[in-house]
Amino acid sequence: QVQLVESGGGLVQAGGSLRLSCVVSGSIFRVDNMGWHRQIPGKPRELVAEIMHNGHTNYADSVKGRFTISRDIAKNMAFLQMNSLKFEDAAVYYCSAAIAETSSPSVGFYWGRGTQVTVSS
């Protein structure tokens, strides 16, 4: 079974920084794209940032210049460095990954369970 586990969330003051981590484990043949999404109650989940296997990145306009996504391919990990945090960044942050398992030729899309980010004054 494939698992994605996020860590690094917490309470931070506005203007502060947090670094989220996501580790993928299980019977993995290959991890393709990885991403970070966020969701607040009553709103749809939105893409924050994604990183392709070749290192190409995409960001939501709202986080450009403040957030940086990176990954360690060898360790099947992704990171989200969040700087200059704003109140509106508060949400549950979910890691996602497109993964080919060793038992299947197809690529599946997986989610972590999320980590809460709270921004205070």
Side-chain angles (χ1 to χ4, degrees):
Q1 285 186 342
V2 172
Q3 276 192 316
L4 278 66
V5 179
E6 302 97 335
S7 61
L11 175 65
V12 64
Q13 282 192 324
S17 298
L18 279 176
R19 187 178 190 239
L20 305 183
S21 299
C22 171
V23 59
V24 182
S25 62
S27 301
I28 303 162
F29 176 70
R30 186 184 69 253
V31 180
D32 288 337
N33 303 349
M34 297 189 73
W36 288 95
H37 307 247
R38 65 188 181 189
Q39 188 171 26
I40 60 175
K43 294 287 182 71
R45 193 172 296 186
E46 65 172 358
L47 175 68
V48 175
E50 61 181 346
I51 184 167
M52 314 309 173
H53 195 270
N54 63 5
H56 181 73
T57 58
N58 292 310
Y59 294 92
D61 288 342
S62 59
V63 306
K64 283 181 181 176
R66 299 188 298 122
F67 291 11
T68 302
I69 188 170
S70 60
R71 65 187 294 178
D72 184 327
I73 292 176
K75 296 181 178 179
N76 291 325
M77 295 187 72
F79 307 95
L80 186 67
Q81 178 67 42
M82 304 186 295
N83 298 328
S84 303
L85 281 159
K86 304 176 181 180
F87 294 120
E88 53 264 40
D89 294 319
V92 178
Y93 282 71
Y94 297 90
C95 178
S96 69
I99 298 169
E101 293 186 62
T102 54
S103 60
S104 171
S106 61
V107 174
F109 193 81
Y110 296 85
W111 292 97
R113 292 191 173 186
T115 184
Q116 177 72 50
V117 171
T118 303
V119 182
S120 67
S121 59

